[in-house]
Amino acid sequence: MHSIGSISSASMDFKINIFLRQRWNDPRLEYHNYQDPHFAVDASLLESFWRPSMFFSNEKAASFHHADFNNHMLRLFRNGDILYSTRLTLTLGCNMDLRYFPMDTQVCRIIIESYGYSTEDLLFQWEKHNPVQVDEQLELPQFMLHRLKTGTCTSDYTTGSFSCIEAILTLKREMGYYLIQLYIPCILIVILSWVSFWIHHDSAPARVALGITTVLTMTTQSGNIGETLPKVSYVKAIDIWISTCLIFVFAALLEYAIVNVLARQCQDIFAGCGRSRRKPHFTIDPESRAITKDAVHHRCLRYAQRVDTISRIAFPIVFMFFNLFYWLTFIALRN
């Protein structure tokens, strides 16, 4: 395995560059007249040899390499063994489960199956020692090759049973990109929406503009991440995160609506007291003392200010508990 290219969650496939080596025995080609245990055969004679018919059952696209010359190698051994090697670039399908995205682990397969010969005529087997060789410098942009194993997957059809082997790649997604590009910006946007709790309720343009900006920014983030993923019916981990952050910034905007309503009610009470012919009296202690209308207005506004004060404490605490629950749950599921 020379390299693994793009692994696309949107199209659920991955691109891989491999050296495919096949070895089989044809007793008609045995020779004893030469001392060399094997010799190279011109690849142009490839069509003159019998070859096992095989295909990649999960292939979406495939191509040979022809840089300078056709990348084929053919070698004949004394006992009639034939070693055939070629370089391929494949795009293979990979059924992904994105429920834990982007903290997910995916299992992708390279499936090689016989096409023209049933198990009565042809059997595929992996080499006993190191069947899949991986380049030591292999690096993936978003994934880590966690495990690689081989197995068999004989397939039964109406035309018979056909030999099949597979290489199983366990790929664990790296979190660095999503932490920098998604999670940290979302946390900062949510924190930014809390700034409105420290702005005076009379500054309606500032608080409304801040609330709408944070809501629109979170909506944009949601749209951007949605473009990179397939339209699946189940809920993903990233959907829970984006939706909760959107709820927090929207709740911060609604909080100002509540504060504004309370403040307007206070102004209406203050205006009503000013138009009254009699000076209003309110009972505020056992001695039933009368208070001035300025004191009435001040006391009324304290209810609106109290909502801001409570929000300054409640929003960060609830968001902190959500983060603890979210990260502990999905990290445990990831491991």
Side-chain angles (χ1 to χ4, degrees):
M1 187 183 303
H2 184 62
S3 65
I4 299 178
S6 60
I7 302 175
S8 174
S9 299
S11 55
M12 290 195 178
D13 57 29
F14 66 104
K15 197 171 184 179
I16 188 170
N17 190 322
I18 63 171
F19 294 102
L20 178 64
R21 299 184 181 95
Q22 305 173 64
R23 184 165 181 159
W24 67 93
N25 182 267
D26 191 340
R28 298 171 300 175
L29 299 176
E30 291 184 8
Y31 67 90
H32 304 283
N33 299 328
Y34 299 97
Q35 295 181 352
D36 294 338
H38 60 80
F39 63 88
V41 180
D42 192 337
S44 62
L45 300 175
L46 182 62
E47 297 299 328
S48 302
F49 291 85
W50 178 89
R51 287 186 296 164
S53 62
M54 52 149 290
F55 71 104
F56 295 88
S57 63
N58 58 336
E59 169 205 332
K60 289 186 176 181
S63 62
F64 291 96
H65 289 260
H66 306 284
D68 288 345
F69 57 90
N70 291 337
N71 292 178
H72 300 291
M73 185 196 76
L74 195 60
R75 188 175 292 171
L76 179 61
F77 290 81
R78 180 178 296 176
N79 63 349
D81 280 1
I82 299 173
L83 175 63
Y84 170 57
S85 176
T86 185
R87 186 182 173 202
L88 288 170
T89 295
L90 302 166
T91 301
L92 302 175
C94 178
N95 294 326
M96 299 184 181
D97 186 351
L98 300 172
R99 286 180 173 85
Y100 303 143
F101 177 89
M103 290 170 279
D104 54 331
T105 299
Q106 301 298 337
V107 177
C108 296
R109 290 173 167 81
I110 304 172
I111 305 174
I112 302 174
E113 188 174 341
S114 172
Y115 187 84
Y117 299 96
S118 66
T119 52
E120 298 177 355
D121 303 314
L122 178 66
L123 287 175
F124 286 147
Q125 292 180 343
W126 290 107
E127 284 281 352
K128 293 182 179 179
H129 176 68
N130 196 14
V132 181
Q133 300 173 3
V134 181
D135 190 343
E136 294 180 355
Q137 299 181 352
L138 177 66
E139 291 186 4
L140 305 178
Q142 293 188 26
F143 286 87
M144 175 184 67
L145 183 57
H146 182 62
R147 187 185 303 112
L148 192 154
K149 64 179 182 179
T150 57
T152 58
C153 53
T154 301
S155 303
D156 295 321
Y157 302 99
T158 55
T159 53
S161 180
F162 293 84
S163 182
C164 172
I165 55 177
E166 62 180 355
I168 304 171
L169 287 70
T170 303
L171 304 169
K172 183 175 287 189
R173 196 183 300 271
E174 298 284 2
M175 280 289 297
Y177 172 82
Y178 296 96
L179 282 174
I180 297 172
Q181 299 294 329
L182 180 67
Y183 284 101
I184 293 177
C186 286
I187 291 173
L188 295 178
I189 292 169
V190 172
I191 294 175
L192 180 63
S193 68
W194 302 339
V195 174
S196 65
F197 304 151
W198 276 267
I199 300 176
H200 197 273
H201 60 83
D202 287 339
S203 303
R207 295 190 65 163
V208 171
L210 181 60
I212 293 176
T213 301
T214 53
V215 170
L216 293 178
T217 306
M218 281 304 309
T219 305
T220 303
Q221 285 277 50
S222 176
N224 291 339
I225 197 64
E227 292 177 356
T228 62
L229 295 173
K231 295 176 176 61
V232 294
S233 58
Y234 50 80
V235 177
K236 303 179 288 294
I238 196 65
D239 295 333
I240 297 174
W241 174 265
I242 292 289
S243 299
T244 304
C245 290
L246 185 59
I247 290 172
F248 268 95
V249 296
F250 188 70
L253 181 61
L254 289 182
E255 187 270 350
Y256 174 64
I258 296 172
V259 171
N260 191 47
V261 169
L262 293 175
R264 285 179 177 273
Q265 289 178 349
C266 292
Q267 292 176 359
D268 292 341
I269 293 173
F270 182 81
C273 291
R275 292 192 299 267
S276 177
R277 293 182 180 180
R278 297 178 55 191
K279 185 176 181 180
H281 289 75
F282 297 85
T283 303
I284 61 172
D285 56 30
E287 298 179 0
S288 301
R289 295 179 300 167
I291 61 173
T292 63
K293 61 181 180 180
D294 289 337
V296 174
H297 187 232
H298 178 71
R299 183 179 179 183
C300 183
L301 286 178
R302 278 191 295 180
Y303 289 105
Q305 295 170 353
R306 188 176 300 172
V307 175
D308 275 341
T309 303
I310 295 173
S311 298
R312 294 170 191 172
I313 301 172
F315 272 71
I317 290 176
V318 175
F319 190 65
M320 181 185 67
F321 277 109
F322 162 71
N323 271 270
L324 287 174
F325 173 78
Y326 180 87
W327 291 108
L328 291 177
T329 300
F330 285 105
I331 288 176
L333 293 173
R334 174 184 174 87
N335 294 330

